[in-house]
C-alpha cells in the first residue's frame, strides 16, 4: 500500500485494461465460433431456471425428488412440443397459401414500375430492381424468416437432454446454495439476483407475449388477413426479443395483407399492430417488469445487438437473460465492481442503500 492508501500496481492500469479487453475479444470470438453449441446450452440453462420452482413446489408438498424432476421436464416438453407443432402446421399452411397470390404480386410490381417511371427512373434500373421479385422470392424470404424462428425450437433432443441433466443436478441446489452462502455470500447473492431477474423477465415476457398474441391474432382475423394463428404465434415468440421484436413480428402479416387486400389492408395491419404493441409492450409491460431486470433501455438494446451477433437468432431471444448472467458473473460477484450497476441499471439507485432494500420488487423465487 502507498501512503495515501492506494494499491501499488506492478502493471500500469492502462495495460491491464488493454489486456482485459483483448481477453474479452478472444472469449467473444470463441463464443461466436461455438454458437451452435453454446446457444442450446444457454437455452437449456434458462429453461432450467424457469422450471426450477416446479421442483421446489413438489418437494414442499412432500413429493419425492424424482417426481419434481419429472414434473419440471414434462412442463417444458409439453410447451415446446405444442409450440413446434403449431408452427409446423401453420408454416405448411403458408406454403400452400402463397402461390395463389401470383397475380396480385404481378399487379403490385406493374404499379411499382409505373410509379418509378413517372419519377423519372430509367427502365433499365427499374428492371434490374424488380426483375428478381416474384412469388418464389417472397416465399423464400418468408420461409427463411419463419425457418429461423422454427430452428430455435427444432433441436429439441439436445436441449431436452441438457435440461434433464441440469434439472437432475438442480434437485439439491438448495443445499448447495446454503453452503455457498456460508462460504462466499457475495457469489451466492450474485447468482440469486440472476435467478430472480431471469424468472421475472421470462414470466412477464410470457404473460404479455400471450396477451399480445391473442390481440394480434384476433385483430388479423377481424381484418381478414390469412393465417392469423401463425402470425399470433410469431408475435408470441418475437415478444421475447427486446425493443425490435414487434418490428420483426409485423413484417410477414403486413406483407401478406398487401397481397390480400392491397395497401389499405396493409396500412390497417400496421396501425392495429402499432397501437396494440405500443400500449401493451411500451406502456403496460415495463410497469410490471419494474426494476426486476435492473437494466436500462440502452443496455437492453445493446445486449440484443451483441448477443444476436454472437449467437444468432437464439441470442436475440435470450439477450436479456444472457446479459443478466454476464452481469452476475462479471459485476455482481465482486463488491468492488457493483458500482457499475448504477450506470447500467434502470433506476440509477445505489444497490447497497437502505432505500433500495425497502423498494418494492419481486419476491425471491424459491428453488
Amino acid at each position: 500500500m502507498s501512503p495515501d492508501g492506494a494499491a501499488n500496481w506492478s502493471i500500469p492500469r492502462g495495460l491491464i485494461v488493454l489486456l482485459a479487453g483483448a481477453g474479452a475479444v478472444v472469449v467473444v470470438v470463441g463464443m461466436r465460433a461455438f454458437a451452435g453449441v453454446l446457444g442450446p446450452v444457454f437455452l437449456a440453462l434458462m429453461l432450467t431456471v424457469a422450471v426450477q420452482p416446479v421442483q421446489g413446489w413438489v418437494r414442499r408438498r412432500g413429493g419425492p425428488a424424482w417426481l419434481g424432476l419429472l414434473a419440471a421436464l414434462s412442463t417444458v416438453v409439453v410447451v415446446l412440443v405444442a409450440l413446434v407443432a403449431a408452427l409446423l402446421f401453420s408454416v405448411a399452411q403458408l406454403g400452400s397459401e402463397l402461390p395463389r397470390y401470383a397475380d396480385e404480386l404481378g399487379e403490385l410490381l406493374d404499379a411499382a414500375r409505373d410509379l418509378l417511371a413517372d419519377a423519372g427512373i430509367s427502365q433499365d434500373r427499374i428492371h434490374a430492381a424488380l426483375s428478381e421479385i416474384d412469388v418464389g422470392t417472397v416465399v423464400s424470404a418468408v420461409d427463411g424468416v419463419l425457418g429461423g424462428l422454427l430452428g430455435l425450437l427444432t433441436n429439441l433432443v439436445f436441449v431436452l437432454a441438457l435440461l434433464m441433466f441440469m434439472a437432475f443436478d438442480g434437485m439439491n441446489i438448495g443445499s448447495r446454495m446454503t453452503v455457498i452462502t456460508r462460504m462466499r455470500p457475495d457469489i451466492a447473492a450474485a447468482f440469486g439476483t440472476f435467478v430472480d431477474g431471469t424468472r421475472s423477465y421470462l414470466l412477464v415476457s410470457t404473460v404479455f407475449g400471450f396477451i399480445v398474441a391473442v390481440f394480434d391474432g384476433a385483430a388479423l382475423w377481424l381484418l381478414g388477413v390469412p393465417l392469423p394463428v401463425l402470425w399470433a404465434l410469431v408475435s408470441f415468440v418475437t415478444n421475447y426479443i427486446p425493443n425490435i421484436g414487434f418490428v420483426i413480428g409485423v413484417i410477414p402479416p403486413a406483407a401478406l395483407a398487401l397481397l390480400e387486400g392491397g395497401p389499405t389492408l396493409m396500412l390497417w395491419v400496421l396501425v392495429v399492430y402499432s397501437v396494440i404493441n405500443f400500449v401493451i409492450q411500451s406502456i403496460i409491460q415495463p410497469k410490471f417488469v419494474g426494476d426486476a431486470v435492473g437494466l436500462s433501455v440502452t443496455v437492453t438494446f445493446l445486449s440484443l445487438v451483441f448477443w444476436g451477433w454472437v449467437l444468432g437468432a437464439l441470442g436475440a431471444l435470450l439477450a436479456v437473460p444472457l446479459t443478466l448472467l454476464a452481469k452476475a458473473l462479471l459485476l455482481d460477484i465482486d463488491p468492488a465492481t457493483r458500482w457499475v450497476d448504477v450506470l447500467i441499471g434502470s433506476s440509477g439507485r445505489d444497490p447497497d442503500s437502505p432505500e433500495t432494500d425497502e423498494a418494492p420488487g419481486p419476491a425471491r423465487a424459491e428453488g
Side-chain angles (χ1 to χ4, degrees):
M1 282 287 186
S2 62
D4 59 357
N8 292 319
W9 295 86
S10 58
I11 302 176
R13 294 190 182 184
L15 182 58
I16 293 177
V17 173
L18 290 177
L19 291 175
V25 170
V26 173
V27 171
V28 170
V29 171
M31 292 176 62
R32 193 178 184 194
F34 290 94
V37 176
L38 291 178
V41 170
F42 285 135
L43 176 59
L45 176 61
M46 297 305 114
L47 293 175
T48 303
V49 171
V51 300
Q52 188 68 33
V54 177
Q55 290 182 283
W57 182 83
V58 173
R59 295 295 299 274
R60 288 193 299 272
R61 279 154 182 75
W66 64 266
L67 183 60
L69 174 63
L70 183 62
L73 291 177
S74 300
T75 301
V76 176
V77 170
V78 169
V79 172
L80 290 182
V81 170
L83 188 56
V84 169
L87 283 173
L88 284 174
F89 177 75
S90 300
V91 170
Q93 283 186 311
L94 178 65
S96 61
E97 189 81 12
L98 282 179
R100 72 182 183 88
Y101 291 104
D103 295 338
E104 288 81 358
L105 181 59
E107 294 176 359
L108 288 174
L109 293 178
D110 291 338
R113 290 189 183 96
D114 295 338
L115 183 63
L116 293 175
D118 294 339
I121 300 176
S122 65
Q123 291 295 328
D124 293 337
R125 292 185 177 180
I126 296 175
H127 180 74
L130 301 178
S131 60
E132 300 297 329
I133 301 178
D134 54 21
V135 171
T137 305
V138 176
V139 171
S140 299
V142 176
D143 183 64
V145 173
L146 297 178
L149 293 175
L150 190 60
L152 302 177
L153 302 171
T154 51
N155 196 8
L156 293 180
V157 176
F158 184 42
V159 172
L160 291 178
L162 286 171
L163 177 64
M164 181 180 64
F165 297 138
M166 291 181 180
F168 182 81
D169 291 334
M171 287 193 298
N172 58 353
I173 190 65
S175 59
R176 297 186 185 187
M177 291 304 299
T178 300
V179 175
I180 295 176
T181 302
R182 185 179 69 251
M183 299 176 63
R184 300 294 297 273
D186 291 330
I187 295 178
F191 280 107
T193 301
F194 159 69
V195 169
D196 288 347
T198 298
R199 287 177 183 167
S200 298
Y201 172 76
L202 293 177
L203 176 62
V204 171
S205 296
T206 300
V207 171
F208 280 94
F210 178 78
I211 295 174
V212 168
V214 170
F215 277 98
D216 286 346
L220 293 176
W221 178 73
L222 292 175
L223 291 173
V225 178
L227 306 177
V229 175
L230 171 60
W231 310 130
L233 288 173
V234 172
S235 295
F236 175 78
V237 174
T238 55
N239 187 66
Y240 291 97
I241 303 177
N243 302 114
I244 65 171
F246 151 67
V247 178
I248 298 175
V250 74
I251 292 176
L256 192 59
L258 178 63
L259 297 176
E260 174 71 20
T264 301
L265 183 58
M266 182 186 71
L267 183 61
W268 272 109
V269 171
L270 293 175
V271 171
V272 170
Y273 257 64
S274 298
V275 171
I276 293 175
N277 288 270
F278 176 78
V279 171
I280 295 179
Q281 294 179 329
S282 299
I283 298 179
I284 301 177
Q285 184 171 341
K287 294 182 181 300
F288 283 84
V289 175
D291 296 331
V293 174
L295 298 175
S296 67
V297 177
T298 302
V299 172
T300 301
F301 178 74
L302 292 177
S303 69
L304 167 66
V305 175
F306 174 77
W307 291 112
W309 175 74
V310 174
L311 299 178
L314 190 55
L317 282 176
L318 300 177
V320 172
L322 286 173
T323 302
L324 292 176
L325 178 60
K327 175 174 170 286
L329 294 175
L330 300 177
L331 301 178
D332 297 340
I333 206 170
D334 186 358
T337 57
R338 288 180 189 165
W339 59 269
V340 182
D341 286 347
V342 180
L343 297 177
I344 67 175
S346 58
S347 63
R349 294 178 299 190
D350 182 359
D352 296 326
S353 67
E355 294 180 1
T356 303
D357 296 334
E358 297 173 0
R364 181 173 295 274
E366 297 183 4

